[in-house]
Amino acid sequence: MLMRSEPFTEVNRLAQQLFGAPTTGTWSRPTTMPVDAYRNGDEFVIVFDLPGVDKDAIDIDIERNVLTVRAERRPVDLGEHAQATLTERPLGVFSRQMFLGDALDTDRIDATYHNGVLALRIPIAEKAKPRKITVGGHADQEHKVLNG
């Protein structure tokens, strides 16, 4: 269903956690975003955590079964006289790229965004769903063909 990409994503995430330095993502070097993916019946669901990101700042593309999600969290305007005393929330560009298998119907992706969570629902393609194969023909005819 889903083939992992970005081999250094997990290494970068762990390094950020260990060293506690949230980096600001840029368009050329975006930061990764946490993702969960699972199958639920006849659909595949991918969920991205994007708290504080405006819906209009999310960009979703798919090309040749490569799904790319980009989002940008912009700084909040604190006002002219405000001084920040603590800033831990990462800002900038976040991106994730995933290779989707042929078993998914990428023409019918449904995207919803609620409470900072982006959910993509991708139906399982009809050709990939389990199905029964019926055996047809007459036993007498098959016996003649096999035994000449």
Side-chain angles (χ1 to χ4, degrees):
M1 299 284 167
L2 175 72
M3 294 171 268
R4 287 192 154 230
S5 64
E6 304 175 288
F8 298 105
T9 297
E10 191 64 17
V11 173
N12 288 338
R13 189 183 65 75
L14 289 172
Q16 286 178 6
Q17 284 180 343
L18 286 174
F19 301 115
T23 59
T24 300
T26 64
W27 286 104
S28 60
R29 293 181 58 92
T31 304
T32 62
M33 62 189 87
V35 175
D36 289 339
Y38 57 93
R39 182 173 177 165
N40 185 12
D42 286 341
E43 68 181 3
F44 192 70
V45 182
I46 307 173
V47 182
F48 301 84
D49 277 350
L50 295 170
V53 173
D54 187 72
K55 181 178 115 176
D56 295 330
I58 300 172
D59 185 40
I60 306 167
D61 290 315
I62 187 149
E63 183 178 347
R64 295 184 182 183
N65 286 7
V66 177
L67 172 73
T68 304
V69 176
R70 285 183 175 258
E72 183 176 9
R73 183 182 303 133
R74 298 175 180 106
V76 176
D77 183 10
L78 301 176
E80 191 176 317
H81 302 290
Q83 289 184 330
T85 56
L86 181 63
T87 55
E88 293 181 347
R89 297 174 56 226
L91 300 174
V93 179
F94 301 85
S95 180
R96 211 50 198 262
Q97 196 170 55
M98 299 177 169
F99 294 89
L100 304 177
D102 291 332
L104 299 176
D105 186 352
T106 57
D107 291 331
R108 299 185 340 176
I109 296 177
D110 177 57
T112 57
Y113 187 64
H114 182 67
N115 287 341
V117 178
L118 173 66
L120 302 181
R121 287 177 169 66
I122 310 167
I124 306 297
E126 288 299 320
K127 66 182 180 182
K129 291 180 182 176
R131 59 193 174 279
K132 284 280 193 187
I133 307 297
T134 57
V135 179
H138 297 288
D140 292 341
Q141 290 175 343
E142 290 176 19
H143 182 67
K144 289 179 186 176
V145 171
L146 292 175
N147 295 326

